[in-house]
Every structure is written in structure tokens, then in C-alpha cells.
Amino acid sequence: MTVTSATGATTAPAAARTGSSGFALAVAAVVAMMAGASAPSPFYPVLQQQLGFSAATMTGIFAVYAVALLMTLLLTGSISDHLGRRRSSPPGSWCSR
């Protein structure tokens, strides 16, 4: 929505201007959390070599990690639905560090 003033200049309302910075912040938070969630995966081959784990052991370790991540997402998603996004986002961002 644009507003045309008496001089003919068109401006966006204040809500539209401030919404884009909030959207950019939300996108940055999601990208950071997704990167943090997938960060351990590239280190598994290095750990396998250093600790001498077999392929089956590394598969088990990754399976435990994937199940724990899925359970965390399911639990925190329902908490977010119950409490609301604004109340649950700051603690979620703090815990992802």
C-alpha cells in the first residue's frame, strides 16, 4: 500500500517500512539456527579417523543425533504453538548458542 501526499510524492506506510527489517532479522535467525543444527555432520568423518570408529558406529552416532534433533524440533514446536512465537523465540535463540 502506498500513500500519495498533496505534493504527489508516494511513500510507504510506517508499518511496511519497519516490517522489512523484522523479516530480515527473522530470516537471519532461521539461517543461523539451520546452520547450527547441521554443523556437526561434516566433523563425523574426522572423528571417525581420530577415534577409530567403524562405519556402523558412526552411522549409529548420526542416527542418535538425527533422532535427538527431530525430538527437539517436535517438542519445541509444540511449546511454541502453546506459548506463542514471540514468547518462545528468545529462549530458543539463546539455547541454540
Side-chain angles (χ1 to χ4, degrees), residues 2-97:
T2 57
V3 178
T4 305
S5 67
T7 61
T10 57
T11 59
R17 288 189 301 261
T18 59
S20 62
S21 63
F23 179 74
L25 180 63
V27 168
V30 168
V31 168
M33 287 183 204
M34 292 177 95
S38 63
S41 300
F43 297 113
Y44 288 152
V46 175
L47 290 175
Q48 182 179 10
Q49 288 179 348
Q50 288 182 352
L51 301 175
F53 288 155
S54 68
T57 302
M58 290 310 296
T59 301
I61 290 171
F62 185 76
V64 168
Y65 166 72
V67 169
L69 182 62
L70 176 65
M71 297 305 292
T72 301
L73 290 173
L74 291 173
L75 176 68
T76 57
S78 63
I79 290 173
S80 177
D81 290 341
H82 180 69
L83 296 177
R85 304 287 189 262
R86 288 185 184 219
R87 289 181 61 199
S88 61
S89 293
S93 296
W94 182 82
C95 289
S96 69
R97 294 179 187 190

